[in-house]
Amino acid sequence: MGFPDRIERTVEVAQPPGRVWSAITTAEGLASWFGDKATIDLRPGGEVKMSWESGDAVEMRVERVEEPSVFGFTWRMHGMPEDDPRRTYVEFTLEPTESGTRLTVVESGFAQLPDNCHGKAYDAHSQGWKSELGQLVDLLDAA
């Protein structure tokens, strides 16, 4: 039996796509729900850096930018050594709705992990997206 390769989460946000786009593609937006500090070069091949007060940090590579509907990046897999070249791909898709925006996040690439790392990484990212998207929805709904 193979490993699950992707995590998919969809949330409804009571804000227009442009507002959601800003929250996921600007340094200020990312720092308000995803990390404590962020920088972003919003173009394919650009770099995103996020850090937390805990001292944790992550770097991502922008892969896809189709404003205001699709934003994608790759990043290092949870629990893998710093020098491991494998990455997962995260894609945000924004769809306008009558009440705001439907935001879908898909992270794929987990099947490439070794047996001893897959479950931990998959579970950590699955729970992480649930928590982070909850923070994003709360932030945008409060605006």
Side-chain angles (χ1 to χ4, degrees):
M1 181 174 147
F3 295 131
D5 188 56
R6 61 188 267 146
I7 297 165
E8 182 170 341
R9 298 233 184 257
T10 299
V11 293
E12 300 288 332
V13 183
Q15 294 290 334
R19 180 82 186 231
V20 179
W21 180 261
S22 291
I24 64 173
T25 63
T26 66
E28 180 182 280
L30 288 168
S32 68
W33 67 277
F34 202 14
D36 293 321
K37 292 183 184 178
T39 61
I40 184 168
D41 179 2
L42 188 61
R43 63 179 176 81
E47 186 175 67
V48 180
K49 292 183 179 182
M50 287 196 318
S51 61
W52 290 263
E53 291 177 5
S54 66
D56 292 327
V58 65
E59 293 182 9
M60 294 103 84
R61 175 186 158 93
V62 175
E63 302 292 344
R64 189 171 173 197
V65 179
E66 294 177 21
E67 186 174 353
S69 58
V70 181
F71 171 58
F73 64 83
T74 52
W75 62 353
R76 189 174 67 80
M77 291 189 207
H78 178 81
M80 297 300 289
E82 290 284 332
D83 62 348
D84 192 286
R86 291 174 281 195
R87 302 286 184 262
T88 56
Y89 175 68
V90 177
E91 187 168 274
F92 294 83
T93 304
L94 292 75
E95 300 172 68
T97 64
E98 284 188 24
S99 60
T101 305
R102 178 175 299 112
L103 174 65
T104 300
V105 179
V106 176
E107 183 173 9
S108 59
F110 292 97
Q112 64 184 309
L113 286 170
D115 293 359
N116 63 338
C117 296
H118 180 270
K120 184 176 180 180
Y122 185 87
D123 291 346
H125 284 235
S126 185
Q127 288 302 313
W129 284 120
K130 181 178 180 182
S131 172
E132 298 298 344
L133 290 176
Q135 290 179 38
L136 176 62
V137 169
D138 289 347
L139 172 78
L140 290 169
D141 283 351

